[in-house]
Amino acid sequence: MPRSGRRRPITSVDVAVAAGVSQATVARCFNTPDVVAPGTRQRIEAAAERLGYVPNAIARSLKSQSTNIVGAVVPAVGEYWQNVVTCFSRCLTASGRQLLLFSFLDQADVDDTLEAVAQYRLDGLILASATIAEAQLARMRQTGLSLVAFNHPDAAGIVPSVTVDNEAGSAELARHLADLGCARVLYVGGVAAASTDRARFRGAARTLASAGATCNYMEAGAFTYEAGYKAADRVGQMDSLPDAIMVGGDEVAFGMLDGLRQYGITAPNDLLMTGFDGLPQASWAGYDLTTLVQPAEQLAEHAAELAARGLDAPSNVVPPSVVVAGTLRRGRTTRRGEEPPARPQARAGRGCGPQSRAGRG
Amino acid sequence: MPRSGRRRPITSVDVAVAAGVSQATVARCFNTPDVVAPGTRQRIEAAAERLGYVPNAIARSLKSQSTNIVGAVVPAVGEYWQNVVTCFSRCLTASGRQLLLFSFLDQADVDDTLEAVAQYRLDGLILASATIAEAQLARMRQTGLSLVAFNHPDAAGIVPSVTVDNEAGSAELARHLADLGCARVLYVGGVAAASTDRARFRGAARTLASAGATCNYMEAGAFTYEAGYKAADRVGQMDSLPDAIMVGGDEVAFGMLDGLRQYGITAPNDLLMTGFDGLPQASWAGYDLTTLVQPAEQLAEHAAELAARGLDAPSNVVPPSVVVAGTLRRGRTTRRGEEPPARPQARAGRGCGPQSRAGRG
DNA sequence: TGCAAGGATGAATACGTATACATAGAATCG
DNA sequence: CGATTCTATGTATACGTATTCATCCTTGCA
């Protein structure tokens, strides 16, 4: 039995010995192949292949002072964030980098997490949360780590930041509603303290005001389905319904839609509704929500790139910030007047009694 | 201006000098604090704090031959996987480990990805995909890396594997339907080639057969919403509807539900429906799907632990596998007879014409 | 033919930490 | 008080790679 037990992993030295060259030449062969003689290279490659050599990224990182890894600190819950994480991963993988993921449930966990993060000498770190304290950002900035705030507009003065244009996007949704004749609009935000929430409400209120419409604010309490579902109770018990509800996040809007249905209130029949984010589910036929689609791929790409090339500014220069425009997606929830197009059977057979299956085998 | 330019990061040597001790003592102070004299320890901690020293995990990993990082290779799309990734992250963070995430869109990317993965000397690697070739698994096994297959039952003979009990879970769903009197059941799978899909169909078919019911198979083509939505067309055009549809994944089921609605077919009115996975959205009021809930946290925990403690088996021992039972979640989609409880307004006001807003202010 | 230039490679070192080994002082005991 | 054990710390080395510098050999040119 020749191969018993756990054998020592193959190093570049092993390859060097097998190929009859020095370790330095092996390293060159993998990093700058053009400076090594063709014959030698071939011999080394053969030896490496035969031994099953695979370069040790840890050692490389130690020497080169760069890990090729970008970290991301992301909230553990929410459809939106899950979507963003996937985008990060795709972008980084595409550019040959890796993603070290830290997700946190409680805000208190973030401190511990950041401490752990700092130990790995990451090429950059993406902080994706609208609720990280600015004092903490400033402190992290000191470590020399290249930070990027994602979806946290207020951080723009402290660290580079990448966001969708929340205010303009929300304004676009508001204008859309105003054009449809809405005069009384209710804005349902997620967390009033979040900078994204404030920006979105600002855009909506400003635009609606200039169109002569009113815009009240209601806080759902979280950017979750459940929060939206519960907030629907408050709407359902109002004396008079608004013409439209602008919800600060798609997931909250889904909850709101489902919650309102319990009261017999549906969009677009009884009121119009918009969301924000452009989650995949917004396109599902079950919701078909009018929303502002965040260019997630593009945002993630910017964040990844900004994080990877650390800014060499000495810390007194104002960091660059990226604001990308979203695009309006028009769904059924603001499609008033135009009756649901092209589903004849649906109208005949839906939900109006047991005869719905008539005419079918 | 004392601090211009990019200053060299602080190392344990710097701390040692500042505290008037040797580098070794500093290292001890951070790893085995009890063997260093209290006075010395205090001096070192003070110096470290003052200089802003943070241990270099890269160097530590190189020396200790262990990175404290677990990798995960996960498909880039799908609600299910996004959910699982979050669970991985939570589990690993909780045990002081980190998650290196690799997501892939195309199966072809996996090869490249695995190559990149191998360079980082991970403590373990979780392969989360039902479609990784078994030959590839065997090859990876050779590298000495501690592998765990997640949701890939067929891999159980080659590498340790963690899955929900697909067959038993599906059987439980089937029995539920049989008890409700379903005699003709249609099983809509995602990808027929996937081992999870096969196991789930097997459990359903076996149980239904022994209950005297039939169970046909239809392939949606993918585990996605869109696939389910399209598959609904084929169902809608059938001459006679089955009593129930068992869908191989929740996301596919959502698509199926929304698709069937276009044909005026709804659950539980016209047929019953079950899903599989127990996604958060299955609990949303909009779908309220009967499904088999995978204990995602628990599965992730097992996978993380199995990956972290590399198996010391020399590669001829059969690896241990973990199979966890899921739990049935009963939703509206199999709630026949019992009329939708407690939403009186809903029945009166929904979708039957413009008078729906009557009686409201 | 002799010399310069350039190309290919080897030797040596540094990256920052953990740890085996050595050592010096303190404490214990006869 | 000398021998011995124990505790606290310093010295030295290894982890695996990238890179600088030096060296040798080939080639071109006068």
Side-chain angles (χ1 to χ4, degrees), chain A residues 218 248 281 290 335:
Chain A
M218 174 188 283
Q281 291 113 325
T290 293
R335 205 166 277 145

Side-chain angles (χ1 to χ4, degrees), chain A residues 21-22 24-25 28 36-37 40 62-63 65:
Chain A
V21 298
S22 74
T25 304
R28 277 188 279 259
V36 59
T40 311
L62 181 59
K63 179 65 181 150
Q65 304 286 60

Side-chain angles (χ1 to χ4, degrees), chain B residues 230-248:
Chain B
K230 283 201 190 112
D233 283 338
R234 279 183 279 162
V235 174
Q237 282 153 17
M238 288 168 70
D239 287 337
S240 82
L241 289 181
D243 297 327
I245 300 181
M246 293 184 67
V247 188

Side-chain angles (χ1 to χ4, degrees), chain B residues 285-303:
Chain B
Y287 292 110
D288 198 5
L289 178 71
T290 293
T291 186
L292 193 102
V293 182
Q294 294 202 34
E297 285 282 347
Q298 203 178 335
L299 289 169
E301 214 161 307
H302 275 125

Side-chain angles (χ1 to χ4, degrees), chain B residues 129-153:
Chain B
S129 166
T131 50
I132 288 181
E134 295 170 22
Q136 197 156 31
L137 287 180
R139 191 148 45 85
M140 294 232 48
R141 183 86 196 278
Q142 301 293 53
T143 66
L145 177 58
S146 157
L147 292 179
V148 176
F150 188 90
N151 197 19
H152 189 354

